[in-house]
Amino acid sequence: MPDDELKVLSFKPIFLTVDGVGPFQDQPYEVDFTDEQDISCNLFLFMSENGRGKTTLLDLMARLMNLLGEKSPDLFGHEDLDTGRGRAQWDVCVTLNRQGRDETIILSILAGNLSKNAVLKIWQDRDLKKYTASSWHRTGFRRHVKGFLETVGAEDDLVKELMAVIRGSTGEPPQDFASTSTSLPALLYFTSYRDIPLIKSARRTISEPEQWGYQPVYFFNAQGKQWSYSLDNLFVWLKWLDDGRFEKAVEFVNERVFKGSTKFIKSIRRQPPEVVVANGDQTHRLDRLSSGEKNLTEMFFQIGTHMTRCTIVLIDEANVHLHPRWQHRLMKLFRMLVKNYPGITIIAASHSLAMLEAFGFEVPEDGIRKGGEIIKEGLE
């Protein structure tokens, strides 16, 4: 990246406003991601019963962020936005280094059925000062009356510069494992379907993994049974690079998932190429881990591989496959992660009261700014 090119120093969610999307049909619904001091939270928890809209909100943020990498999309990727029924606005506080000077702005990412000038949330000068921002900018796409998606903010020089940096970097390989020196915003979205299944592919070659290289958004669903989509392939690829990333990956996962256990990721088997997990005197494959261990291995390995200095991590049903004791441990790992990497924001969704208890809203902690949203009352 040239020295005079725009750099993203911070990328923090402030508000999300949705209307006519999923369960949020009657009136606009707003989520505030800031704490009592109006500072963006780095650890945020959505709580509700199933079916109340947690997944909808996470998915919308991922779809909106994905627009930053799109030049001329045909669809938003969300039914209510694509059919013209819904609209959404995600307000992000962004600190940039531009032409050698730091400046903070509010960037509103817009999508859906919006009129030429309308937005869901208007930012006045007094609002900008509240978040120490100097200006308000808009980007994204609105649905035109003729059906096509019309670019928002195309005439804004700062937005054009930011989009040029993001889109011009898409596909570039990460510089390092846990490359927090990379000056690009990234969002990692973990759906509730997290697993490491047995690989069915007989043919396993050293090949570039899916989602290798920088992208504004990484979508992590259940690991595919094919080699190219597998976690094993990603580990083998890092080993093949032979630049220290494999060793860092193993350390990152072992320290967070297997510390205090007899299990740990040990090495790579040559034939067939796959990860070797040590368990006492025995060894086995990744897919032989417990469901909870697979959940956490997938999560933390992907975070370590893809996060940049400005990363938002979305985790749906964070408690899935986890015993209450493990849920407490996961929340502890989240707290450690946001402390160790100040540029990261974790937004998790759950219906588990064990997760809520482990979150500890009422307990202040240095380096952690907590926030949350109970979408509906009636948790049991």
Side-chain angles (χ1 to χ4, degrees):
M1 181 178 291
D3 292 338
D4 60 346
E5 192 170 62
L6 179 147
K7 298 179 178 65
V8 182
L9 305 180
S10 177
F11 195 90
K12 297 290 186 179
I14 300 291
F15 291 99
L16 173 66
T17 311
V18 301
D19 184 29
V21 178
F24 311 105
Q25 297 290 330
D26 297 335
Q27 59 186 1
Y29 186 88
E30 182 179 87
V31 179
D32 183 350
F33 292 104
T34 65
D35 63 11
E36 293 178 352
Q37 285 74 46
D38 298 318
I39 300 174
S40 179
C41 297
N42 57 4
L43 188 57
F44 193 93
L45 184 63
F46 280 116
M47 289 292 297
S48 78
E49 297 174 338
N50 288 330
R52 301 294 191 182
K54 302 187 301 296
T55 300
T56 296
L57 296 176
L58 295 180
D59 188 63
L60 275 176
M61 285 186 282
R63 302 297 172 182
L64 290 166
M65 184 76 172
N66 199 49
L67 295 179
L68 299 185
E70 297 282 353
K71 293 182 180 179
S72 53
D74 297 321
L75 296 169
F76 294 111
H78 190 285
E79 181 180 359
D80 289 329
L81 298 181
D82 290 331
T83 57
R85 292 194 299 263
R87 51 190 183 150
Q89 175 175 333
W90 195 21
D91 301 311
V92 184
C93 188
V94 186
T95 300
L96 307 165
N97 182 278
R98 190 186 187 209
Q99 300 174 353
R101 298 178 58 185
D102 291 355
E103 62 178 299
T104 298
I105 66 168
I106 298 297
L107 180 67
S108 294
I109 309 173
L110 296 153
N113 185 16
L114 296 157
S115 65
K116 184 68 176 179
N117 299 311
V119 291
L120 289 172
K121 184 178 179 65
I122 297 174
W123 285 79
Q124 307 285 356
D125 287 344
R126 64 177 180 273
D127 302 314
L128 296 175
K129 291 179 181 178
K130 191 175 181 180
Y131 300 96
T132 65
S134 60
S135 55
W136 176 37
H137 302 263
R138 282 157 282 182
T139 189
F141 298 86
R142 64 168 63 87
R143 179 166 292 284
H144 192 273
V145 291
K146 294 184 179 180
F148 66 87
L149 301 188
E150 181 182 19
T151 304
V152 175
E155 70 289 345
D156 188 320
D157 289 339
L158 187 149
V159 168
K160 287 192 291 186
E161 194 174 342
L162 176 59
M163 295 305 102
V165 170
I166 292 173
R167 292 165 185 169
S169 302
T170 300
E172 290 185 358
Q175 298 173 4
D176 197 359
F177 187 87
S179 183
T180 52
S181 62
T182 301
S183 180
L184 292 165
L187 184 148
L188 282 57
Y189 178 30
F190 294 90
T191 72
S192 59
Y193 303 102
R194 300 188 290 277
D195 189 20
I196 304 176
L198 174 65
I199 301 168
K200 299 293 187 180
S201 302
R203 186 168 179 266
R204 302 182 184 184
T205 60
I206 298 174
S207 56
E208 183 174 299
E210 298 293 327
Q211 299 196 97
W212 180 253
Y214 169 71
Q215 299 176 39
V217 177
Y218 299 89
F219 292 91
F220 299 115
N221 300 305
Q223 285 292 314
K225 296 181 181 180
Q226 300 302 312
W227 171 249
S228 61
Y229 291 89
S230 70
L231 206 61
D232 278 280
N233 182 38
L234 184 50
F235 267 108
V236 170
W237 177 257
L238 291 179
K239 182 69 173 177
W240 177 79
L241 291 176
D242 194 26
D243 59 2
R245 289 190 231 194
F246 173 77
E247 290 74 18
K248 289 180 181 179
V250 169
E251 180 182 3
F252 192 86
V253 174
N254 282 340
E255 179 68 20
R256 287 160 178 78
V257 181
F258 300 109
K259 187 174 183 179
S261 168
T262 59
K263 296 181 185 180
F264 61 94
I265 294 175
K266 181 179 181 181
S267 60
I268 294 292
R269 182 178 288 117
R270 289 183 175 273
Q271 289 297 329
E274 62 188 8
V275 175
V276 175
V277 178
N279 185 6
D281 297 331
Q282 307 295 317
T283 62
H284 58 76
R285 303 182 306 266
L286 282 175
D287 64 274
R288 299 298 298 273
L289 292 169
S290 72
S291 57
E293 289 168 335
K294 288 191 284 187
N295 179 347
L296 297 183
T297 298
E298 156 78 1
M299 186 186 304
F300 284 101
F301 181 50
Q302 299 289 11
I303 290 174
T305 303
H306 297 289
M307 71 176 175
T308 69
R309 181 167 54 192
C310 306
T311 298
I312 298 170
V313 180
L314 307 181
I315 306 166
D316 195 12
E317 299 294 355
N319 55 287
V320 70
H321 301 311
L322 297 179
H323 183 274
R325 179 172 57 85
W326 277 73
Q327 295 177 38
H328 279 257
R329 180 178 177 181
L330 176 60
M331 195 56 71
K332 180 179 179 181
L333 291 171
F334 286 165
R335 292 198 294 268
M336 291 173 58
L337 197 62
V338 298
K339 279 187 176 182
N340 293 337
Y341 299 94
I344 197 170
T345 298
I346 297 176
I347 302 174
S350 177
H351 63 271
S352 166
L353 293 182
M355 287 291 291
L356 181 61
E357 176 186 328
F359 191 86
F361 277 103
E362 72 286 352
V363 182
E365 299 178 64
D366 291 339
I368 303 176
R369 297 178 301 279
K370 302 176 186 177
E373 177 90 357
I374 297 179
I375 299 176
K376 294 286 184 180
E377 300 293 341
L379 288 170
E380 297 180 357

